[in-house]
Amino acid sequence: MAFTFAAFCYMLSLVLCAALIFFAIWHIIAFDELRTDFKSPIDQSNPVHALVLPEYSIHSLFCIMFLCAQEWLTLGLNVPLLFYHFWRYFHCPADSSELAYDPPAVMNADTLSYCQKEAWCKLAFYLLSFFYYLYCMIYTLVSS
Amino acid sequence: MSAPAGLPPRPSAGAAVYAGGPAEAAAPQAGALRRHNGPVRSPMQFPAGYGLHPPNYSVPSGHYSQVPNKAVSPHLDNQYRASYHSTYYSAPAQNVMTPPVGTNMLNTQESQQLYNKTSPQTAESTEGLIRGAVSSASYLHTSAQQSYSAFGNHYSTSVSSSVASQGFPLNSDHYTMPVVSSAMYPVSYPSAASDSVYGQAYISQSLPGVGQFKQTSAFSSQSTAVPHSLQQHVPVGYNSTLPAISSAQSVQDSLSRNLSGLLAKTNNQINTGGIDSLQPAQSVSQKAQYTKPGVGTSVSSAAVSSGRTPTPGLSPEPRSTPSVTQSPESALQKGMQYGGYVNNQASSAPAPLSSSSDDEEEDEEDEEAAIDSSSTTSSASPVLNNYDALEGGGYPETRSVTSSPVPAPSVPQTSKTSKPFGYGYPALQPGYQNATSPDPVQPSNSGHHPGLQHYPQQYTGVNQLSSSLGGLSLQHSQQPEGLRPVNLTQDRNILPVSSVPAPVPNLNSDLRKLNCSPDSFRCTLTNIPQTQALLNKAKLPLGLLLHPFRDLTQLPVITSSTIVRCRSCRTYINPFVSFIDQRRWKCNLCYRVNDVPEEFMYNPLTRSYGEPHKRPEVQNSTVEFIASSDYMLRPPQPAVYLFVLDVSHNAVEAGYLTIVCQSLLENLDKLPGDSRTRIGFITFDSTVQFYNLQEGLSQPQMLIVSDIDDIFLPTPDSLLVNLHESKELIKDLLSALPNMFTNTRETYSALGPALQAAFKLMSPTGGRISVFQTQLPSLGAGLLHSREDPNQRSSTKVVQHLGPATDFYKKLALDCSGQQTAVDLFLLSSQYSDLASLACMSKYSAGCIYYYPSFHHSHNPAQAEKFQKDLKRYLTRKIGFEAVMRIRCTKGLSIHTFHGNFFVRSTDLLSLANVNPDAGFAVQMSIEESLTDTSLVCFQTALLYTSSKGERRIRVHTLCLPVVNSLADVYAGADVQAVVCLLANMAVDRSVSSSLADARDALVNAVVDSLAAYMSTASNLQQSMLVAPNSLRLFPLYVLALLKQKAFRTGTSTRLDDRVYAMCQMKSQPLVHLMKMIHPNLYRIDKLIDESAIHVNDKVVPQPPLQKLSAEKLTREGAFLMDCGSVFYIWIGKNCDNNFIKDVLGYPNYASVPLKMTQLPEADALSSERTRSFISWLKDSRPLSPVLQVIKDENPAKTDFFQHLIEDRTEAAFSYYEFLLHIQQQICK
């Protein structure tokens, strides 16, 4: 039983993963409000924008940490999402720092449902990884 | 009796008496009235409250006199009447026909009180009294609402036309009747629209009848179950046909039509052309036959004669009538709503035959009608004069040639059932079913848009007649016209003679008449597929094309304290709701059962109680409500206009400033607005200049801000000033401005900072920013760099830079939109200015974009003139501020994507900072849930806006369409023009988000897929042929036209800005104008004849047939006019008749015609007159003035002309025939 770097990574990612789950829920709620007409895309996409970059950076941080901790399996699980985030970031509408959700376009039925699906998938992914990190943390703590 | 009736047939007299208005003046008037009404009887007969009611309501004439004797009532009565008249008659005089608000309010309140007062009494009184009291009370209430009452008259008119049928038994199971009649005469009788209800009348007239009738009735019952058809019918008012047909037509023509009409009738297959010419004539005579001798005949004669002899002097609305006849444009704007009504009212006055069950009243009104009509024969219907003037139906000579025009006047008066969903009120007396409505008004008004251009569009021409005759054998098997297979590769003449008509939804005739005009509201599929799977199979896009804020000549405006809406989905009550009983109605969108509010029970039109289904909201699919404060988030904003002008060297060189200032000076008083209107100016070059126009200054003060990186407002409160208070200063500024910068050496343009400043200036109020820009913005925020590579202009591969280079303009637009500010862009540039980026400022703020390539005031006079005319229209057209538009549709349908200039706030809500009458929108729909449990779907758009007078208004359009479950029916109902316009919108999106090549492929695939899907359903077709359903026969042609359009063409040199502008227009133009852009109209004009001409404003407008867009149609001996929407080309053949060149062009021979010729001289010769009247008629039909170019073979502009001949092969693109072969090949693959 030792407190390794890997164990530290898992502990930190556990905490941050909780934040990511919160972000995902936030997104889901925001898009739902959009759909049900409680909010205007201009008002609401700004907080969403504010959350997009933190989410991406937190997730990248995970990957870097797991890379350093040489947790290959965990890294492997996270890499697809990392690439997706990169793609999203560099493929966003127009040329600006405005990410992903373009206020005029977001109300398009396709875009909106896509965004919603994306948020749900991420929520599921983060939830699963939360438990996975918990398990891994305990495992590394116990095993080493 | 006639005078106090509230709707005097000769308001000129009535107005004189009552226009005094204020209550104080009422007493003497009461005296006058009393005298008018003969013997005075015992006064105390009615309780006080009842005295109020409009005298002739439900009281025999004698009774009236009792009323004024009441101590209180004369006062009130007259007060009401006075104000009623004053508002009533003054309304049309006003610009946008807003009634004097003060009066309006006053009345409403007053009436409200009265209403309260009376209602308790009603409880105690006898039945008749109840009615009188309540109705009178609410009548008072509505007296404030001119529109209502105006409509009321209209209603009564419509009854007049239905008088004919009164001799016939009216059963309450009338539901079948309309169906029957519609089945039998689906097309027309629109003139006698009313009579569709009274199927009997027709049937017995048209005799051969009874057996046939039975057949059809049987059939019709089927047809309701299985909507089959495509009766090419024209609810929109056969009125509109008249212009085309009314004109002198050869006897043979009409004979053949006769025949075809009969045939068609028996077949349930009506083709418009055929019947139109015939039916109207019949209907008139029928009417005469069947009317009650005294009333009906005189009415119709009145209508007719009034149509024939426009006598403005006698007309009730002398002011508006002349304006209409003289300048349709101004009439459109001014008289649009009220003018229309008033006129209508007048026209209907002669026959206020109400359908209510009150016999006494009826008799009395009959008398009145008879009297009125006889006395006012010539002036009976100014509106008809309007119509005639507009449509040209009013000319005696035409009439004498064909009888068809005659019934024209009666058309707007036709009546019909009010029953939306096609069942009768179980509890109502037969009289109810007589319910009348002003229906054709609404449809027909469509055509009155600037210049009636659409009339012909709704009608198939003679050509189609023959084609449909050819299809008769098919029709026997009850195959709808829209499904008739057309072999595209063999059938070369697929273009109709006049414009392509909008298909008519296969509804029963009542619904059809109630339905929204296709000019405002069109669906790509007039038969909605039941499921998404079926829609996918059909491979056609489902969507709506909207023109919600169109200039309308007639629009019911409703002032009511409660706007009746569904409690769950907030749908506005509309003609397609069903009344379960008198107190409850069922929403047609979400099917919730709602209560009918007490106030709604009273019908101000018939002045009767308990007929909610006769209210104007339920009788018109396009209505406008005056909204209460519930519909305001803040007090209605004033009209605020800010002009942002480029004054850099480039701009001064182009010389646009003079034109702008001149136009503004001329139109300063015509800017829509009220006393609060504010105006401001900002100019910019490398710095931003503001103008302090504060009242009290001796001259305008220029304030220069050179810190463009951090722009600020020098004096925030004196830059936007009240137009009326500072008018002199503004005029000074406008006259000085053009010369202020003549020697400028500034070449930079700091557009971005200027816009930021403008936004800051506007954000407290909202309003309109008009930006005039002449070059690429080169300084400060939002600067752009040239992205166009001229060598790539004709590239066949990739077209880049269709999207914005920066988000600056988009963000600015979104900010503006949030502050209810729209940015309109005028780009007057001779070089590349990156419209793709600049356009964003208008796209997302609901502005509009105008582009004048190679603008120069002296080098390009045609463009300068166009700019000037466009500006005039731009400055003076209607405008709505802080608008939102919501589109609701029947449960199961959902909105997928919006197209147009706006910001999407929610899945069904568009935020429009400004809305203008020239803006069109498109909506893609999807079917989320199967529609199996409903046979009708409805779409409703509600546009909530602040008028320039500071009123909050809601304009509601409702469209009703049938649901079908077979693929064939879906094809039968396809509206090819709408499909193509929606596809164009989708292709624009695709080319920006993906690539132009993708978009082009998608367009071709759309044709290939849909035709393949059609051919696979029609199993009996040979696979080797390329066959399209008749409804889609123009589909490949239009798509080919789209591919050759500037926006999507490749291989032909196209400047990037031109391309982007074409795309912007596709997104924001309404369908009518977009279609001309896509597929220009070609006419041969060297031999214009008066045959089939129409008459507009005392002018004969010839109607040459449409020609194919192919060089084979161009002969050297001819002269051709091509109408491309924004450009008119006149192509002169080498051997063109010298007389034509001399008369029309003003030159002795072909050789002497100059290369640059942009105007036709005004010569006296007949051919010149005809040509000019035809061209000006075409011009009037669009909001923006087109440029005219005369083209000879030596002319370099020749290529532009020939590029529009889209059926021909070009270096880079298929000819039409090749395109068809290509499609066929793709299908077979």
Side-chain angles (χ1 to χ4, degrees):
Chain A
M1 176 120 177
F3 188 72
T4 60
F5 178 65
F8 168 75
C9 283
Y10 281 118
M11 288 168 91
L12 189 63
S13 52
L14 207 56
V15 177
L16 291 177
C17 201
L20 288 183
I21 290 171
F22 166 75
F23 288 178
I25 293 175
W26 176 281
H27 271 126
I28 290 171
I29 294 174
F31 287 119
D32 201 57
E33 280 185 332
L34 257 191
R35 177 162 290 227
T36 48
D37 199 7
F38 286 120
K39 268 188 176 174
S40 155
I42 303 185
D43 312 336
Q44 91 64 234
S45 58
N46 289 336
V48 169
H49 284 148
L51 288 184
V52 168
L53 213 50
E55 182 192 330
Y56 289 7
S57 41
I58 288 174
H59 190 258
S60 320
L61 180 70
F62 281 9
C63 297
I64 295 167
M65 284 194 312
F66 292 131
L67 183 69
C68 298
Q70 299 183 333
E71 292 288 327
W72 304 119
L73 177 63
T74 319
L75 183 65
L77 290 176
N78 273 299
V79 161
L81 184 62
L82 182 72
F83 279 119
Y84 175 74
H85 280 165
F86 274 116
W87 175 81
R88 207 52 195 165
Y89 186 85
F90 292 109
H91 245 257
C92 57
D95 58 354
S96 67
S97 56
E98 296 270 324
L99 287 171
Y101 313 110
D102 182 28
V106 78
M107 290 314 303
N108 179 305
D110 283 342
T111 320
L112 195 58
S113 61
Y114 176 81
C115 289
Q116 267 185 319
K117 260 182 222 154
E118 185 195 30
W120 278 107
C121 292
K122 276 187 181 171
L123 178 65
F125 180 81
Y126 291 142
L127 265 179
L128 288 177
S129 49
F130 180 84
F131 291 109
Y132 174 76
Y133 296 152
L134 187 65
Y135 167 80
C136 286
M137 183 190 73
I138 296 168
Y139 182 82
T140 41
L141 283 177
V142 169
S143 66
S144 53
Chain B
M1 199 49 234
S2 65
L7 308 170
R10 278 187 297 165
S12 50
V17 176
Y18 300 121
E24 293 79 52
Q29 285 172 14
L33 288 174
R34 230 176 291 148
R35 251 177 276 130
H36 206 284
N37 285 286
V40 176
R41 293 200 201 157
S42 95
M44 299 315 281
Q45 195 157 331
F46 294 142
Y50 303 133
L52 307 176
H53 60 68
N56 70 340
Y57 176 74
S58 78
V59 194
S61 52
H63 287 211
Y64 171 68
S65 49
Q66 295 155 1
V67 173
N69 277 353
K70 288 295 306 170
V72 187
S73 54
H75 171 78
L76 284 170
D77 192 5
N78 283 295
Q79 180 181 11
Y80 133 68
R81 215 176 292 123
S83 50
Y84 171 71
H85 285 296
S86 62
T87 42
Y88 196 83
Y89 292 110
S90 60
Q94 297 198 358
N95 202 354
V96 197
M97 49 289 357
T98 359
V101 180
T103 343
N104 214 341
M105 292 302 290
L106 182 78
N107 276 342
T108 324
Q109 285 167 3
E110 208 172 88
S111 54
Q112 206 59 40
Q113 289 168 3
L114 288 170
Y115 184 80
N116 294 341
K117 235 192 280 172
T118 44
S119 46
Q121 291 168 353
T122 59
E124 309 152 16
S125 35
T126 62
E127 203 258 335
L129 289 182
I130 287 177
R131 238 202 250 177
V134 173
S135 62
S136 64
S138 27
Y139 185 51
L140 273 177
H141 166 71
T142 42
S143 67
Q145 315 154 7
Q146 311 92 334
S147 56
Y148 270 22
S149 18
F151 240 100
N153 276 337
H154 186 74
Y155 275 41
S156 30
T157 340
S158 26
V159 182
S160 80
S161 59
S162 65
V163 166
S165 51
Q166 284 199 342
F168 295 86
L170 293 168
N171 2 10
S172 46
D173 60 342
H174 72 119
Y175 171 50
T176 51
M177 300 324 283
V179 179
V180 168
S181 58
S182 74
M184 267 188 87
Y185 312 101
V187 159
S188 94
Y189 293 110
S191 72
S194 58
D195 301 283
S196 58
V197 183
Y198 310 107
Q200 314 93 312
Y202 267 98
I203 282 137
S204 46
Q205 292 160 6
S206 65
L207 246 186
V210 184
Q212 191 187 12
F213 160 47
K214 272 178 191 152
Q215 268 179 2
T216 36
S217 75
F219 164 73
S220 66
S221 54
Q222 289 169 10
S223 72
T224 37
V226 187
H228 70 291
S229 120
L230 247 243
Q231 307 144 347
Q232 266 206 269
H233 139 129
V234 191
V236 178
Y238 99 115
N239 248 346
S240 16
T241 10
L242 286 181
I245 295 165
S246 71
S247 43
Q249 264 170 1
S250 63
V251 181
Q252 289 100 322
D253 237 347
S254 58
L255 274 177
S256 66
R257 276 152 186 255
N258 245 333
L259 272 173
S260 72
L262 289 168
L263 280 170
K265 248 188 273 169
T266 43
N267 289 325
N268 294 318
Q269 279 292 342
I270 296 340
N271 73 61
T272 346
I275 293 208
D276 278 336
S277 60
L278 167 64
Q279 252 30 339
Q282 280 187 355
S283 66
V284 164
S285 56
Q286 287 162 1
K287 217 162 274 163
Q289 268 176 303
Y290 289 91
T291 35
K292 290 180 178 176
V295 185
T297 335
S298 64
V299 168
S300 53
S301 70
V304 169
S305 59
S306 70
R308 279 184 185 155
T309 48
T311 50
L314 283 178
S315 72
E317 199 32 68
R319 273 168 298 188
S320 73
T321 315
S323 77
V324 169
T325 38
Q326 284 163 11
S327 58
E329 220 181 288
S330 70
L332 274 177
Q333 280 163 15
K334 294 188 182 171
M336 225 164 14
Q337 299 153 352
Y338 293 107
Y341 282 142
V342 171
N343 288 339
N344 243 339
Q345 166 191 30
S347 73
S348 50
L353 232 239
S354 107
S355 54
S356 84
S357 52
D358 190 323
D359 286 341
E360 278 183 348
E361 181 198 356
E362 208 169 80
D363 288 345
E364 180 191 329
E365 286 188 343
D366 282 358
E367 281 171 31
E368 183 190 325
I371 293 164
D372 289 343
S373 53
S374 59
S375 63
T376 59
T377 314
S378 54
S379 69
S381 55
V383 94
L384 301 179
N385 289 346
N386 282 354
Y387 279 175
D388 290 341
L390 287 166
E391 293 170 6
Y395 283 74
E397 66 266 26
T398 3
R399 278 162 197 254
S400 59
V401 179
T402 41
S403 55
S404 49
V406 176
S410 70
V411 169
Q413 310 167 353
T414 51
S415 68
K416 51 94 178 331
T417 31
S418 60
K419 213 36 292 300
F421 267 113
Y423 61 75
Y425 273 78
L428 301 181
Q429 321 91 305
Y432 274 67
Q433 270 100 34
N434 286 354
T436 57
S437 91
D439 97 276
V441 168
Q442 198 269 326
S444 61
N445 63 24
S446 61
H448 293 273
H449 186 54
L452 329 166
Q453 170 70 4
H454 337 301
Y455 276 123
Q457 293 185 351
Q458 286 145 9
Y459 298 90
T460 35
V462 186
N463 263 11
Q464 270 213 328
L465 171 66
S466 60
S467 67
S468 52
L469 273 174
L472 272 181
S473 55
L474 285 164
Q475 291 170 6
H476 279 297
S477 58
Q478 292 191 1
Q479 188 178 21
E481 170 66 15
L483 267 185
R484 186 168 55 80
V486 176
N487 188 340
L488 292 173
T489 41
Q490 281 171 14
D491 206 342
R492 303 197 63 204
N493 294 315
I494 51 172
L495 217 57
V497 166
S498 58
S499 313
V500 181
V504 172
N506 177 25
L507 297 165
N508 76 43
S509 58
D510 299 342
L511 292 182
R512 205 181 285 162
K513 268 172 270 148
L514 288 168
N515 227 344
C516 196
S517 148
D519 289 325
S520 310
F521 210 147
R522 249 164 111 160
C523 185
T524 54
L525 302 176
T526 52
N527 293 330
I528 304 286
Q530 211 166 46
T531 58
Q532 181 72 35
L534 187 59
L535 176 61
N536 292 344
K537 247 191 246 167
K539 304 279 185 192
L540 290 170
L542 174 61
L544 304 172
L545 284 120
L546 308 170
H547 191 180
F549 202 52
R550 205 161 59 89
D551 285 328
L552 293 166
T553 43
Q554 279 163 332
L555 173 69
V557 181
I558 293 161
T559 319
S560 165
S561 57
T562 52
I563 295 173
V564 182
R565 299 174 68 178
C566 172
R567 287 176 69 89
S568 76
C569 67
R570 309 300 292 150
T571 300
Y572 295 82
I573 197 165
N574 59 67
F576 311 105
V577 303
S578 40
F579 283 92
I580 290 171
D581 53 41
Q582 283 206 27
R583 310 296 312 205
R584 288 181 301 159
W585 61 279
K586 189 171 168 194
C587 175
N588 53 338
L589 267 63
C590 67
Y591 308 118
R592 184 195 154 104
V593 176
N594 294 278
D595 290 338
V596 176
E598 183 63 26
E599 196 189 332
F600 202 73
M601 294 299 290
Y602 170 70
N603 184 353
L605 302 187
T606 54
R607 281 164 278 147
S608 53
Y609 184 79
E611 295 174 349
H613 56 293
K614 288 190 194 168
R615 296 264 304 193
E617 295 95 319
V618 188
Q619 294 290 349
N620 295 281
S621 56
T622 298
V623 291
E624 188 154 288
F625 296 97
I626 311 263
S628 63
S629 53
D630 302 343
Y631 293 84
M632 299 171 193
L633 291 173
R634 55 173 188 176
Q637 67 163 83
V640 182
Y641 305 109
L642 179 64
F643 295 87
V644 179
L645 305 160
D646 183 0
V647 292
S648 62
H649 178 74
N650 199 30
V652 173
E653 188 60 26
Y656 84 95
L657 258 185
T658 327
I659 298 175
V660 172
C661 293
Q662 196 84 42
S663 296
L664 252 175
L665 270 177
E666 280 165 15
N667 297 304
L668 211 51
D669 296 324
K670 292 182 208 149
L671 282 178
D674 53 9
S675 60
R676 304 179 298 158
T677 308
R678 293 161 74 188
I679 193 167
F681 297 89
I682 292 178
T683 55
F684 64 94
D685 39 34
S686 63
T687 58
V688 180
Q689 296 100 36
F690 299 88
Y691 295 87
N692 184 346
L693 299 165
Q694 192 61 27
E695 194 190 4
L697 289 175
S698 58
Q699 61 176 34
Q701 213 174 28
M702 190 206 277
L703 306 157
I704 301 176
V705 174
S706 52
D707 182 8
I708 54 167
D709 293 326
D710 183 19
I711 199 84
F712 61 93
L713 300 179
T715 55
D717 42 357
S718 54
L719 299 177
L720 272 180
V721 293
N722 188 297
L723 175 62
H724 302 283
E725 287 165 6
S726 305
K727 189 169 267 176
E728 286 314 309
L729 282 176
I730 292 165
K731 282 185 177 167
D732 286 351
L733 175 64
L734 285 176
S735 27
L737 207 52
N739 301 321
M740 264 153 80
F741 300 93
T742 36
N743 297 319
T744 184
R745 290 177 184 279
E746 283 293 350
T747 51
Y748 287 108
S749 158
L751 175 66
L755 282 173
Q756 286 172 326
F759 168 64
K760 280 186 184 163
L761 197 53
M762 295 295 273
S763 51
T765 49
R768 182 175 79 187
I769 300 176
S770 313
V771 178
F772 296 80
Q773 170 74 6
T774 59
Q775 57 173 317
L776 208 59
S778 50
L779 214 57
L783 86 160
L784 298 168
H785 303 284
S786 180
R787 296 189 290 169
E788 187 189 35
D789 177 2
N791 299 327
Q792 295 291 313
R793 277 182 190 161
S794 55
S795 146
T796 48
K797 294 172 202 151
V798 192
V799 179
Q800 284 174 316
H801 307 309
L802 292 172
T806 163
D807 267 0
F808 173 81
Y809 295 100
K810 185 200 236 171
K811 280 184 192 155
L812 185 100
L814 293 180
D815 289 342
C816 284
S817 175
Q819 301 298 329
Q820 307 295 351
T821 307
V823 186
D824 293 344
L825 173 67
F826 287 81
L827 187 59
L828 309 123
S829 162
S830 43
Q831 291 147 15
Y832 175 72
S833 322
D834 202 350
L835 186 61
S837 303
L838 292 180
C840 287
M841 71 169 100
S842 303
K843 256 187 210 165
Y844 300 107
S845 67
C848 43
I849 300 159
Y850 299 89
Y851 178 48
Y852 301 89
S854 57
F855 176 87
H856 195 280
H857 67 289
S858 57
H859 298 165
N860 195 346
Q863 198 73 284
E865 193 194 334
K866 176 175 162 55
F867 177 55
Q868 196 176 5
K869 286 185 177 160
D870 290 359
L871 253 187
K872 182 176 185 239
R873 160 80 183 163
Y874 172 77
L875 293 172
T876 54
R877 72 184 176 192
K878 259 186 88 156
I879 182 168
F881 296 100
E882 44 185 1
V884 288
M885 182 164 80
R886 196 183 286 278
I887 300 170
R888 296 184 174 86
C889 39
T890 299
K891 214 168 75 183
L893 291 171
S894 76
I895 293 168
H896 189 277
T897 311
F898 291 99
H899 301 278
N901 291 352
F902 48 69
F903 174 66
V904 197
R905 269 253 297 279
S906 162
T907 41
D908 59 350
L909 184 70
L910 300 181
S911 157
L912 305 163
N914 283 183
V915 59
N916 69 70
D918 304 330
F921 303 91
V923 185
Q924 272 170 264
M925 315 278 307
S926 56
I927 302 170
E928 292 210 322
E929 297 164 33
S930 147
L931 301 165
T932 35
D933 50 350
T934 176
S935 61
L936 295 173
V937 293
C938 291
F939 305 91
Q940 185 173 69
T941 55
L943 177 72
L944 171 65
Y945 67 97
T946 302
S947 76
S948 51
K949 303 275 184 231
E951 265 180 320
R952 209 70 175 136
R953 285 167 168 249
I954 310 165
R955 187 174 292 187
V956 179
H957 302 273
T958 316
L959 179 73
C960 178
L961 296 173
V963 176
V964 296
N965 55 14
S966 82
L967 199 51
D969 286 337
V970 175
Y971 283 113
D975 179 346
V976 67
Q977 289 193 318
V979 167
V980 166
C981 288
L982 188 62
L983 281 177
N985 275 301
M986 292 159 70
V988 171
D989 273 2
R990 178 71 75 91
S991 37
V992 176
S993 67
S994 175
S995 75
L996 195 66
D998 259 17
R1000 288 171 57 88
D1001 289 347
L1003 283 174
V1004 177
N1005 288 340
V1007 187
V1008 171
D1009 290 348
S1010 60
L1011 291 189
Y1014 168 74
M1015 285 167 70
S1016 65
T1017 57
S1019 51
N1020 54 345
L1021 297 171
Q1022 292 174 356
Q1023 287 297 313
S1024 59
M1025 297 189 307
L1026 182 62
V1027 180
N1030 192 34
S1031 59
L1032 287 177
R1033 70 189 191 284
L1034 293 170
F1035 195 22
L1037 179 63
Y1038 283 157
V1039 168
L1040 180 66
L1042 259 184
L1043 293 176
K1044 293 186 175 184
Q1045 224 279 334
K1046 261 185 195 161
F1048 301 112
R1049 72 186 180 194
T1050 54
T1052 314
S1053 177
T1054 312
R1055 300 190 326 146
L1056 190 53
D1057 278 351
D1058 286 346
R1059 189 187 293 277
V1060 171
Y1061 181 59
M1063 289 184 171
C1064 292
Q1065 285 199 302
M1066 293 205 167
K1067 292 280 253 176
S1068 62
Q1069 292 268 315
L1071 183 136
V1072 207
H1073 307 310
L1074 185 52
M1075 274 325 291
K1076 281 201 202 84
M1077 248 180 75
I1078 294 172
H1079 188 270
N1081 292 339
L1082 183 69
Y1083 308 94
R1084 180 166 184 170
I1085 54 164
D1086 61 326
K1087 284 177 186 154
L1088 289 178
I1089 43 169
D1090 281 344
E1091 186 174 313
S1092 80
I1094 61 167
H1095 300 268
V1096 179
N1097 290 350
D1098 297 347
K1099 275 187 182 171
V1100 182
V1101 179
Q1103 298 287 298
L1106 276 183
Q1107 305 281 344
K1108 264 191 347 173
L1109 286 173
S1110 164
E1112 75 181 84
K1113 291 286 173 190
L1114 302 178
T1115 60
R1116 283 165 171 269
E1117 289 76 33
F1120 292 83
L1121 172 75
M1122 185 189 279
D1123 170 9
C1124 307
S1126 59
V1127 193
F1128 286 166
Y1129 295 106
I1130 294 182
W1131 182 85
I1132 314 283
K1134 257 209 175 93
N1135 303 335
C1136 184
D1137 187 10
N1138 268 346
N1139 288 333
F1140 176 81
I1141 294 178
K1142 197 168 70 194
D1143 292 344
V1144 177
L1145 303 176
Y1147 291 92
N1149 54 39
Y1150 179 78
S1152 59
V1153 176
L1155 285 184
K1156 273 194 177 178
M1157 186 175 173
T1158 57
Q1159 259 176 336
L1160 295 184
E1162 297 212 358
D1164 276 339
L1166 185 62
S1167 56
S1168 165
E1169 223 162 75
R1170 280 177 184 154
T1171 314
R1172 278 183 293 115
S1173 72
F1174 179 58
I1175 290 176
S1176 66
W1177 176 76
L1178 288 176
K1179 276 184 179 174
D1180 286 344
S1181 69
R1182 66 207 72 205
L1184 300 181
S1185 156
V1187 179
L1188 182 79
Q1189 285 190 12
V1190 177
I1191 289 186
K1192 295 200 301 178
D1193 272 347
E1194 301 87 60
N1195 202 321
K1198 187 179 78 170
T1199 47
D1200 292 339
F1201 175 76
F1202 281 99
Q1203 268 166 10
H1204 284 110
L1205 296 175
I1206 49 114
E1207 294 198 21
D1208 291 339
R1209 189 166 199 284
T1210 65
E1211 290 164 31
F1214 287 136
S1215 73
Y1216 178 55
Y1217 188 72
E1218 286 169 326
F1219 185 63
L1220 290 178
L1221 293 182
H1222 175 71
I1223 292 172
Q1224 193 174 1
Q1225 213 175 358
Q1226 295 282 313
I1227 290 176
C1228 293
K1229 246 198 309 201

